[in-house]
Amino acid sequence: MALKHISVKKLLTEATPGSEVTAKGWVRTRRGNKNVAFIHLNDGSTINNIQVVADLSNFDEEAIKAVTTGACIGVVGTLVASQGQGQSVEIQAKTIEVIGEADAETYPLQKKGHSMEFLREIAHLRPRTNTFGAVFRIRHNLAFAIHKFFNDKGFFYWHSPIITGSDAEGAGQMFRVSVLDDKNPPLNEDKTVNYEEDFFGKKASLTVSGQLEGELGAMGLGLIYTFGPTFRAENSNTARHLAEFWMIEPEMAFYELEDNMDLAEEMLQYLVKYALENCADDIKFLNDLYDKELLSRLDFVVNNQFQRLTYTEAVEILKSSGKKFEFKVDWGTDLQSEHERYLVEQHFKKPVILTNYPKDIKAFYMKADEDGKTVRAMDVLFPGIGEIIGGSQREEDHDKLLARIREMGIDEHELWWYLDIRKFGTCPHAGFGLGFERLVTFVTGMSNIRDVVPFPRFPKSAEF
Ligand code: ATP
Ligand code: MN
């Protein structure tokens, strides 16, 4: 009877030498000579491979031929202390079963060193590589840590809808959700599409943010966070934007801007620290292969307080920096990534929280400052990334919020429910949105956000 197989991670760290074991996984490399084969086997449980040693006199030559790079095999053998370097134990194979062959002529991952662009084209196979194994294990650990962080602090996981009937979230271009016949949709008298006949009886879209519904949760549960997919149809072909990405959006009753900043800083430090402690092998691998400063950058975030300053102060610094930026900086304009990165990477040399932005470049729901010019916004800026978090204290005063909605030309009827909670037991509250893939990009040191999600969605790309 076959022994139950043990993960490579457990074999390398927990199993006792001398015991009979079964391992299953994918062949990374096979070396050797006509007497002995050394097979490096990986099953995704860890970046490390287990070495399988096969004394070829015990094996049928034809059978062992199919043990090629990429093939899936099952090995039964004895775990022994390793003679070679680089591993403490290895398996002395008794039987090797080829579970799934991988033709050496056509398997695309035959060699190492493929470009990231090429690997994106074979996204169905890239989880087999060391790099993507490491990235996706780190992604998992960060997701887990997010739930742990909030749960331990008494926050409730709140599910904002993914399909929304609200057209006024304002965070970006939306993808329509419709079941109307695209060749022959029902029309209004003025020839526009009549969405009253659509599935939801109104225009519906994929959400760009779970915040507005998150606020409704916080007004009853106190502390909530969302963690779900969001969609933006903006044509941003950058290394920091996806059309489908995951966002973490905590929303807290009785929090003001300072509390919001404290929570964002504590959370980011917790998450990076969690990854350093729980993904040490994977981070070290990425550090050594791609980005020799990754580890020091991560340590730096954990060990330094974030620099807090107002937008107005930041504009002064940028203007007097003497640096030539592609986009000019002027009070009232939105900061570009180059400005954000200058502040973080060159001026302060640490993460930065910018606050109190001009109201005209921020969303309608942010609480106005006393001067009437700025709002209680905060963006957290990270090295290599720029904006990783955007948040604010929310306007809790019904009349002020309504006035701002009208001033910005937003349809107040679309937001009746959002206004309604300001009528019944309103209170100060605040929250923010952390882009999950921007966090994973930061922790893995990957240079493109398309490489930290299994199947990236961006303009002209939805193959897998
Ligand atoms: P940016 O200015 O970088 O485009 P934003 O101001 O549109 O971002 P927010 O609406 O404040 O972003 O969203 C909150 C967070 O979600 C951002 O801080 C960022 O981490 C993340 N985010 C926003 N847009 C995207 C995107 N297209 N792909 C991945 N993450 C995103
Ligand atoms: Mn923002």
Side-chain angles (χ1 to χ4, degrees), residues 397-407 412 419:
D397 182 285
H398 176 274
D399 295 349
K400 285 185 187 157
L401 181 63
L402 181 58
R404 186 67 184 142
I405 285 174
R406 288 181 177 160
E407 199 174 29
E412 63 200 68
L419 284 157

Side-chain angles (χ1 to χ4, degrees), residues 29 57 116 119 139:
T29 57
S57 59
M116 288 294 156
L119 291 171
R139 184 180 167 105

Side-chain angles (χ1 to χ4, degrees), residues 362 379 387 390:
K362 288 293 181 187
D379 278 9
E387 178 186 332

Side-chain angles (χ1 to χ4, degrees), residues 210-236:
Q211 177 204 319
L212 302 191
E213 298 89 345
E215 285 183 51
L216 312 181
M219 289 297 113
L221 293 162
L223 304 173
I224 65 95
Y225 69 104
T226 72
F227 185 3
T230 49
F231 307 85
R232 296 189 186 179
E234 55 204 358
N235 212 345
S236 314

Side-chain angles (χ1 to χ4, degrees), residues 232 234 240-242 245 247 387-390 433 435 438 449:
R232 296 189 186 179
E234 55 204 358
R240 306 177 305 120
H241 290 91
L242 291 164
F245 62 101
M247 247 215 286
E387 178 186 332
I388 193 164
I389 281 179
R438 294 220 183 144
I449 197 167

Side-chain angles (χ1 to χ4, degrees), residues 232 334 340 357 361-362 365-366 378-379 387 389-391 433 438:
R232 296 189 186 179
D334 212 354
E340 297 175 341
Y357 282 72
I361 56 171
K362 288 293 181 187
Y365 48 72
M366 298 192 181
M378 59 164 222
D379 278 9
E387 178 186 332
I389 281 179
R438 294 220 183 144

